[in-house]
């Protein structure tokens, strides 16, 4: 085997290794584990606020954001103990409703052009959820919706 062949094999192995590491970095996740839900979110993001359910307000609110993003570009995940889809939908603003399926989750969505926020309302295992995000984060929001596990 010539030295050119050996170099070509080494180069192919290095390119493959870099591709695998890059893919793993893009798909690496952390898990939020709360009282009403768990979900996966990107490793490069962090929980900025968490309000666990209380005696009066029976919902759990989690706000996550990219670590390097300025305040304002957020993604909020809310899980409700005793609210229906209609209860949550009555308090959402924007154009809609539209129906979308994210993975195997049927969602009612609204888009508010003035704030550039998209809202997803859905149920899993009898629990109602509201996910609200900046329109630039719809891909992350949809991955979170797919990964939510109600408690």
């Amino acid at each position: 085997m010539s030295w050119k062949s050996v170099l070509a094999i080494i180069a192919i192995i290095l390119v493959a290794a870099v591709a695998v590491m890059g893919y793993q970095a893009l798909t690496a996740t952390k898990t939020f584990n709360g009282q009403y839900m768990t979900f996966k979110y990107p490793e490069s993001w962090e929980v900025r606020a968490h309000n666990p359910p209380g005696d009066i307000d029976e919902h759990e609110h989690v706000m996550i954001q990219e670590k390097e993003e300025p305040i304002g570009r957020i993604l909020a995940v809310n899980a409700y103990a005793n609210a229906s889809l209609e209860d949550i939908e009555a308090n959402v603003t924007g154009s809609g409703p539209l129906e979308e399926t994210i993975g195997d989750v049927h969602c009612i969505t609204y888009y508010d052009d003035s704030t550039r926020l998209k809202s997803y309302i859905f149920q899993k295992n009898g629990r109602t959820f509201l996910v609200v995000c900046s329109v630039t984060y719809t891909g992350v929001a949809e991955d979170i919706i797919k990964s939510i596990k109600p408690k």
Side-chain angles (χ1 to χ4, degrees), residues 60-72:
E60 184 167 29
H61 171 78
V62 181
M63 190 175 349
I64 64 171
Q65 186 174 27
E66 272 190 290
K67 290 178 184 173
E68 305 301 322
E69 272 299 314
I71 299 298

Side-chain angles (χ1 to χ4, degrees), residues 109-127:
T109 62
Y110 287 83
Y111 174 69
D112 189 328
D113 197 41
S114 65
T115 60
R116 297 186 42 82
L117 294 176
K118 186 168 183 179
S119 299
Y120 300 82
I121 306 163
F122 58 96
Q123 287 185 326
K124 277 191 172 183
N125 295 342
R127 188 169 304 281

Side-chain angles (χ1 to χ4, degrees), residues 50-102:
H50 174 228
N51 298 320
D55 293 334
I56 297 171
D57 189 17
E58 292 189 31
H59 87 278
E60 184 167 29
H61 171 78
V62 181
M63 190 175 349
I64 64 171
Q65 186 174 27
E66 272 190 290
K67 290 178 184 173
E68 305 301 322
E69 272 299 314
I71 299 298
R73 298 177 89 183
I74 57 98
L75 194 151
V77 183
N78 299 277
Y80 297 87
N82 298 311
S84 68
L85 291 171
E86 294 78 16
D87 293 337
I88 305 306
E89 197 172 355
N91 294 304
V92 174
T93 61
S95 61
L98 296 175
E99 295 189 17
E100 294 183 40
T101 301
I102 312 299

Side-chain angles (χ1 to χ4, degrees), residues 6-73:
V6 170
L7 284 178
I9 292 170
I10 291 172
I12 290 169
I13 291 170
L14 286 175
V15 168
V18 168
V20 167
M21 288 188 304
Y23 176 77
Q24 289 174 339
L26 289 174
T27 59
T29 60
K30 294 189 267 186
T31 300
F32 172 81
N33 187 10
Q35 288 180 269
Y36 286 179
M37 64 185 156
T38 64
F39 61 84
K40 294 184 182 306
Y41 61 98
E43 190 173 82
S44 62
W45 288 51
E46 62 188 359
V47 173
R48 292 283 175 103
H50 174 228
N51 298 320
D55 293 334
I56 297 171
D57 189 17
E58 292 189 31
H59 87 278
E60 184 167 29
H61 171 78
V62 181
M63 190 175 349
I64 64 171
Q65 186 174 27
E66 272 190 290
K67 290 178 184 173
E68 305 301 322
E69 272 299 314
I71 299 298
R73 298 177 89 183

